[in-house]
Amino acid sequence: MSLSRNDMGRAFEYGIAVSLSRNLPAPIQDNVQVRKARRCFELCTEDDKTSIVNASSEATAFLTAHDDRLAEESCFISMQSDQRGQYGDVRDVVVYNTVKKEEIGISAKHRHWAVKHSRLSESINFGYDWFGVNCSDNYFHQVTPIFRELRSRQRREVKWRDIPDKKQRYYVPVLQAFSQEIQALFQSNPNTVAKGLVQYLLGRYDYYKVTKENGSVSIMSFNIEGSLRWGSKIPLPTRMIEVSQKPDSETTIFITFDHGWQISFRIHNASTMVEPSLKFDINIIGLPSTMSRHVVEYG
């Protein structure tokens, strides 16, 4: 049985939690998320299980050696629901140190680098939702007719694959409206938009991001507030430098900020049937030079 990317991600989250539990040692709190993740791990092939165990062992060995809060025995481990991400908490596994009364968060990803999959629609005020600044009436005047047309197609149960000009008719104009609006919002609220957008993508808490690839695992320190023991504190952007089109792509834009931050936004649909919304695949493709990253090869 071949697992989906999401289920492989849950299996890797489980591998990280189990490896931490053995290394500290510390109990894992039983909850629905743990049971889901355990089931995903159990459904993996033997080769995938071995790969997850090896990658998790290398990553947690590095973290326990570099963050002294993971050396205490008075800890317990919790796995968080995916819904926490909607409220600004992107951590998948959290270790609670009851002696120091601190939390150490880990975002565990299996061959997956996207940070958000945010939607746009006629009712979504992305500016307010992402960084607290309302989108303009002009933006909604541009996108509302497009999404209402999609709603009409949804009622007729049209499939995306049956719309040959969907890029030019829907994706491109919505992406252009978004691009113009985010630049206008930045002009009126530069620091709020630049800092707020990146903070929205990263979440409200510092965390270690552990990403499993084929044969290697990387550990990155998203140490915005300076609460992590390993990794330099990294600055948030203060200004937007430019918004540009990705070469040879009609559906992807790059937003470049100061301090080395660069973000890509690729617009697409995320379903078989037409819906009155479109989705972004958002990736951080440029990071501050002070970002700490460690890569470990595993067998």
Side-chain angles (χ1 to χ4, degrees):
M1 174 181 178
S2 178
L3 294 185
S4 69
R5 185 177 67 180
N6 285 342
D7 285 345
M8 286 298 295
R10 292 187 183 99
F12 184 50
E13 291 168 19
Y14 182 73
I16 291 289
V18 169
S19 185
L20 283 168
S21 177
R22 290 171 177 167
N23 281 348
L24 293 179
I28 302 173
Q29 285 193 321
D30 185 46
N31 59 24
V32 172
Q33 193 67 19
V34 170
R35 292 191 287 275
K36 283 183 181 177
R38 183 190 301 124
R39 179 61 176 159
C40 289
F41 179 80
E42 290 169 348
L43 290 172
C44 288
T45 65
E46 290 306 313
D47 284 348
D48 283 338
K49 287 179 183 177
T50 300
S51 178
I52 286 171
V53 168
N54 290 344
S56 299
S57 297
E58 292 290 352
T60 56
F62 178 84
L63 289 174
T64 53
H66 289 83
D67 193 319
D68 60 2
R69 297 170 299 173
L70 295 171
E72 301 281 351
E73 290 191 7
S74 299
C75 292
F76 65 90
I77 298 162
S78 176
M79 294 187 68
Q80 302 208 117
S81 164
D82 294 341
Q83 278 64 49
R84 296 283 298 178
Q86 299 175 15
Y87 305 101
D89 189 351
V90 302
R91 303 171 301 173
D92 300 308
V93 180
V94 178
V95 179
Y96 296 86
N97 186 312
T98 57
V99 172
K100 298 183 184 294
K101 296 185 174 14
E102 294 185 41
E103 300 177 358
I104 307 94
I106 297 170
S107 170
K109 302 298 178 188
H110 179 269
R111 302 178 64 186
H112 179 57
W113 291 93
V115 289
K116 287 278 187 182
H117 299 281
S118 305
R119 285 188 179 271
L120 297 179
S121 76
E122 66 177 292
S123 61
I124 292 175
N125 185 343
F126 76 84
Y128 184 80
D129 292 347
W130 297 5
F131 39 76
V133 181
N134 281 310
C135 291
S136 67
D137 290 341
N138 181 58
Y139 166 74
F140 284 110
H141 288 156
Q142 291 182 69
V143 301
T144 295
I146 299 169
F147 288 120
R148 286 183 177 172
E149 185 175 321
L150 288 175
R151 188 178 299 280
S152 175
R153 286 181 179 266
Q154 180 189 41
R155 293 192 190 103
R156 301 197 304 273
E157 299 184 344
V158 175
K159 294 181 178 179
W160 279 110
R161 71 184 184 194
D162 296 328
I163 307 176
D165 60 344
K166 55 182 170 286
K167 282 187 181 181
Q168 290 72 29
R169 192 175 184 89
Y170 303 115
Y171 299 0
V172 171
V174 170
L175 184 61
Q176 288 175 343
F178 169 80
S179 175
Q180 293 166 6
E181 183 66 9
I182 205 160
Q183 290 178 82
L185 293 176
F186 172 74
Q187 291 299 323
S188 60
N189 301 271
N191 189 58
T192 299
V193 172
K195 178 181 177 181
L197 176 55
V198 172
Q199 205 147 37
Y200 161 74
L201 297 176
L202 297 181
R204 296 186 291 119
Y205 302 96
D206 290 350
Y207 59 93
Y208 298 114
K209 184 172 183 177
V210 178
T211 306
K212 177 185 175 295
E213 297 285 354
N214 286 333
S216 69
V217 59
S218 70
I219 303 100
M220 300 176 72
S221 176
F222 282 90
N223 200 14
I224 302 293
E225 300 297 331
S227 68
L228 301 179
R229 296 290 195 270
W230 174 73
S232 303
K233 185 175 179 180
I234 54 176
L236 289 171
T238 59
R239 61 189 179 92
M240 184 186 295
I241 297 173
E242 69 170 353
V243 178
S244 59
Q245 196 80 23
K246 180 182 178 181
D248 302 318
S249 173
E250 296 179 286
T251 56
T252 303
I253 60 171
F254 296 149
I255 303 182
T256 304
F257 302 89
D258 61 346
H259 296 304
W261 292 98
Q262 189 176 44
I263 303 166
S264 74
F265 290 78
R266 182 178 69 86
I267 199 165
H268 64 112
N269 72 75
S271 60
T272 300
M273 307 301 294
V274 168
E275 297 175 312
S277 66
L278 292 172
K279 199 170 187 179
F280 275 128
D281 188 53
I282 307 175
N283 283 272
I284 297 176
I285 56 176
L287 291 162
S289 59
T290 53
M291 169 67 72
S292 298
R293 183 170 184 260
H294 182 74
V295 179
V296 185
E297 304 294 326
Y298 65 88

